[in-house]
Amino acid sequence: MFYTIIEQVVNGIVSGSVYAIVAVGMTMIFGVLRAINFAHGEYYMLGTFGAWFAIEYFDLPYPVAVVIGVVATSVIAVVVGNVVMQRIVGAPAEAGVLATLGVALILQNTIILVFGGSYKFFSGGYIEPVTLFGFTLAEQRILIIIVGLIVFVGLELMVTYSRMGKAMRAVSQNIECCAVVGIDVRHIALWTFILGAGLAALSGVLTAPVNVSVYGGMGELITFKTLPIIIMGGLGNVRGTFVAAMILGVAESLVATYVGLQFRDTVGFATLMLVLMWRPHGLFSAQARF
Amino acid sequence: MTEIARDQTVTQAESPAATGRDLRAPFGLALLALACIAPLFLGNYPLHAIIIALIFLLPAHGLNLLLGYTGLLSLAQAAFFGIGAYTSALLAVHFGTPFYLNFLAAGLVTGAVALPLGIPALRLRATSFVMCTLGFVIIGQAIAKNWISLTRGDMGLAAIPKPYFALGPASFTVSGTVGFYYLVLAIAVLATLAVYLIVRSPAGRNMIAIRENETLAESVGIPTWHYKLVVFMISAAFAGLGGSLYAHYLTVVSPLTFQMYYSTTMLIIVLGGGAGTISGVIFGSLLFVGLTEALRVAPELRMIAYGFFLLGLVFWFPNGFAPLISRCSSFLEKRK
């Protein structure tokens, strides 16, 4: 009994790490662009497909495939960022929603058009089980937790110390003032977007060996899981997002075991509504900003 | 209602089509007359497309009251559309009640469901509100899938009877595309009239005042919270009525009735036609039919084109396509 609970919590932390890497990109994009990115799960899907393509067609080893997946997604993000995302800085909320929904439809259906809509087997990654403190865990899951921690420490350092990170924080606080003091807001927006999309791709490639199969429509579910996380974490708040992602990951894992697997995907929005009734500004912000 | 709000709203309400104002009534009547004789020269398939457009017009009218007039962006229309469809279907299948009862019940139930959902959701700021309304769709779909004893889960409810009316001993059933077309047309005209009366009333002007500046509206004594809640309920009721028609027209409902696709479609109809105008929404629903028909090549290509259409709408026609047309017509008038 106790053993199962611990096991489910560990599984929850693994999926929480995955959500955290995806959601932190989205929340940073929101901070800078003030737009909810409905296409965010699509970059997760693109990263996975990039790696799957590299393994399946060129027989490359998994670590190389990870790099290819992330780089390919970043290249697409450069195009989308230049053509679409830069233009919604300062636009009304509807514009952001419609434009990113449009991007999601285009990316998702282009992949389905090119590769077909069926499920594809992802062969790669480190699936050997390891026993640690009496628990058996696949290597890949340990890798996910480690990469999650590295990403968050790295982001925290970048946002605090680097010039780009400071500019991102500044833009997320006040766009007009940044423009007045000479920060190139569109440039910052573009780079934040590319960073966010790249992180989503990284998370996709890391999870693919655990999920085993990849398909064109897989991004939508990730988008719907990420949205409650970034709201609960307080929009634009990096640390809050990490905690909210972990809470959601563990909650989903426990609900799937003790309530029923079919309810797993609603945990996010149900929790979100409960949290918002109690704290309308998310868990980790002093006051409502958005 | 104060002078400040009235001044502001009058200019807002009349500015979009001020130039084509004298032409609007005759144009509307001509369109209605054309709609009445449409079955004479249109085949079954185009009629089917127009029926779908007219069904979607109801939730779109509701969204327009919410987004176009009160300024609240909601993605919940698909949730209320689904609730309306299921209410109507369950009544028809289990109790065999006549169509008008199912239809009214769908509107009432969705309006009532919107009250407890709206109270927490409307306390949120813009972005969180959008997310919360999206959550209603996801949770609604999960309930439709998992409350198997009531909804039969993924199998959905089938064999929903075609609309029939029963008054005392007399009863008659609307079967066939043409009959359904006239039923939907009549309902759409009534709904449009209802929306017109709402937005032309002092309440409508208060809604516009809330959209333009909520703090100012509050400070001049408009009970903004109550307005937002009531408009949210009305918009949900409109979506529920649309869902009821949809269920009776297709004769099946399934958890797929709760889809983001429907919310997106309502947004396209409202924003594509021009939010905050009634004629814009009517135009938007026709535009949507034209679009889906024009894109009927291959499903993937169609969705890709849909995506590009959305981008074009956002970047080149942020006020929708209807103002473009009224600008063209005023340009032609000037040349005469």
Side-chain angles (χ1 to χ4, degrees):
Chain A
M1 177 66 194
F2 182 68
Y3 180 82
T4 2
I5 292 186
I6 298 287
E7 200 177 22
Q8 291 313 319
V9 170
V10 172
N11 277 337
I13 291 174
V14 173
S15 50
S17 308
V18 172
Y19 296 155
I21 306 177
V22 186
V24 75
M26 181 123 109
T27 208
M28 289 175 81
I29 293 171
F30 183 89
V32 172
L33 284 153
R34 299 284 194 282
I36 308 159
N37 184 11
F38 276 96
H40 206 68
E42 261 43 69
Y43 302 103
Y44 173 98
M45 181 270 293
L46 285 175
T48 321
F49 261 86
W52 171 80
F53 187 75
I55 291 171
E56 203 71 3
Y57 288 82
F58 300 105
D59 215 11
L60 293 168
Y62 178 69
V64 183
V66 173
V67 176
I68 289 180
V70 174
V71 170
T73 310
S74 306
V75 171
I76 295 170
V78 172
V79 178
V80 176
N82 269 309
V83 177
V84 180
M85 300 307 278
Q86 281 196 334
R87 300 173 78 167
I88 56 182
V89 180
E94 304 92 274
V97 172
L98 282 189
T100 54
L101 276 173
V103 171
L105 283 174
I106 294 168
L107 292 177
Q108 182 181 336
N109 289 288
T110 308
I111 289 292
I112 294 176
L113 190 70
V114 175
F115 295 107
S118 60
Y119 285 73
K120 288 153 190 70
F121 178 66
F122 190 97
S123 56
Y126 309 99
I127 40 175
E128 295 301 316
V130 187
T131 310
L132 263 181
F133 311 115
F135 294 105
T136 312
L137 213 59
E139 286 169 332
Q140 187 72 28
R141 291 177 187 263
I142 300 171
L143 181 70
I144 290 173
I145 297 180
I146 294 171
V147 173
L149 288 175
I150 294 175
V151 164
F152 266 83
V153 172
L155 277 179
E156 204 56 58
L157 292 176
M158 190 202 93
V159 166
T160 325
Y161 296 110
S162 79
R163 205 180 155 71
M164 178 59 92
K166 286 177 187 169
M168 284 175 184
R169 275 194 297 153
V171 172
S172 73
Q173 279 174 13
N174 194 326
I175 293 183
E176 286 79 18
C177 287
C178 287
V180 168
V181 298
I183 295 174
D184 186 347
V185 174
R186 294 186 131 221
H187 178 76
I188 303 287
L190 179 66
W191 280 102
T192 314
F193 177 68
I194 295 168
L195 175 71
L199 285 175
L202 175 67
S203 160
V205 185
L206 285 175
T207 346
V210 179
N211 290 341
V212 184
S213 60
V214 295
Y215 63 103
M218 65 197 273
E220 206 171 82
L221 187 63
I222 291 294
T223 309
F224 288 155
K225 298 224 166 161
T226 317
L227 293 170
I229 295 176
I230 66 168
I231 306 264
M232 273 192 275
L235 287 157
N237 182 338
V238 171
R239 276 179 232 181
T241 306
F242 182 77
V243 179
M246 287 300 168
I247 292 175
L248 181 69
V250 174
E252 273 193 353
S253 174
L254 292 177
V255 166
T257 320
Y258 295 105
V259 183
L261 190 64
Q262 70 272 33
F263 292 105
R264 195 181 62 188
D265 296 337
T266 48
V267 173
F269 277 106
T271 322
L272 172 69
M273 276 172 214
L274 291 176
V275 166
L276 288 178
M277 267 189 243
W278 167 52
R279 281 176 78 90
H281 32 81
L283 286 174
F284 305 101
S285 302
Q287 54 175 349
R289 291 206 296 158
F290 305 105
Chain B
M1 188 68 210
T2 63
E3 282 310 312
I4 303 171
R6 185 172 291 151
D7 283 353
Q8 194 183 28
T9 57
V10 167
T11 48
Q12 274 298 327
E14 292 180 358
S15 61
T19 45
R21 191 168 162 70
D22 300 328
L23 284 174
R24 263 194 299 178
F27 184 74
L29 286 175
L31 192 68
L32 186 60
L34 193 67
C36 285
I37 57 164
L40 293 180
F41 54 87
L42 283 182
N44 263 351
Y45 187 72
L47 270 188
H48 160 80
I50 295 175
I51 289 173
I52 298 287
L54 289 174
I55 291 175
F56 283 175
L57 184 61
L58 292 175
H61 268 321
L63 182 63
N64 190 30
L65 285 176
L66 201 59
L67 172 62
Y69 285 95
T70 322
L72 294 165
L73 176 59
S74 160
L75 293 174
Q77 289 308 78
F80 298 124
F81 191 71
I83 293 173
Y86 266 98
T87 309
S88 213
L90 286 171
L91 282 175
V93 169
H94 288 302
F95 302 105
T97 42
F99 169 73
Y100 55 88
L101 281 181
N102 304 337
F103 183 70
L104 292 177
L108 288 175
V109 168
T110 35
V113 169
L115 179 67
L117 293 181
I119 289 174
L122 286 164
R123 284 167 57 202
L124 306 172
R125 297 278 194 100
T127 313
S128 311
F129 177 71
V130 176
M131 286 303 98
C132 208
T133 55
L134 175 65
F136 299 158
V137 182
I138 311 276
I139 291 174
Q141 190 178 39
I143 293 173
K145 265 188 185 162
N146 293 315
W147 194 352
I148 292 171
S149 60
L150 185 73
T151 62
R152 305 212 314 145
D154 276 320
M155 290 191 293
L157 296 160
I160 300 161
K162 289 273 178 193
Y164 82 91
F165 294 84
L167 272 176
S171 81
F172 94 108
T173 306
V174 177
S175 55
T177 315
V178 176
F180 206 90
Y181 171 77
Y182 280 115
L183 175 67
V184 175
L185 183 66
I187 291 172
V189 169
L190 286 177
T192 309
L193 211 61
V195 174
Y196 179 80
L197 290 177
I198 292 173
V199 301
R200 276 295 147 136
S201 70
R205 284 182 236 126
N206 287 355
M207 281 154 59
I208 297 174
I210 294 171
R211 175 189 73 189
E212 291 303 315
N213 190 333
E214 196 179 330
T215 319
L216 181 64
E218 179 107 51
S219 71
V220 297
I222 299 171
T224 53
W225 165 256
H226 294 96
Y227 265 98
K228 289 198 301 193
L229 194 58
V230 170
V231 174
F232 188 68
M233 286 169 70
I234 294 176
S235 94
F238 268 103
L241 296 176
S244 164
L245 279 177
Y246 200 62
H248 280 283
Y249 180 59
L250 296 185
T251 68
V252 285
V253 293
S254 75
L256 286 178
T257 323
F258 292 88
Q259 255 187 92
M260 253 303 272
Y261 169 75
Y262 291 113
S263 286
T264 322
T265 305
M266 304 316 159
L267 267 184
I268 292 173
I269 292 177
V270 171
L271 294 174
T277 57
I278 294 173
S279 52
V281 176
I282 296 168
F283 174 78
S285 68
L286 296 174
L287 174 82
F288 157 75
V289 174
L291 185 72
T292 36
E293 290 312 301
L295 297 178
R296 194 168 287 282
V297 197
E300 288 86 21
L301 276 176
R302 186 172 148 210
M303 293 319 274
I304 294 172
Y306 210 60
F308 279 110
F309 172 82
L310 282 177
L311 291 181
L313 176 65
V314 172
F315 293 130
W316 292 307
F317 303 100
N319 297 320
F321 293 97
L324 179 79
I325 289 171
S326 77
R327 222 181 307 152
C328 287
S329 69
S330 70
F331 177 72
L332 289 176
E333 265 172 48
K334 271 182 207 145
R335 284 187 53 177
K336 263 185 225 164

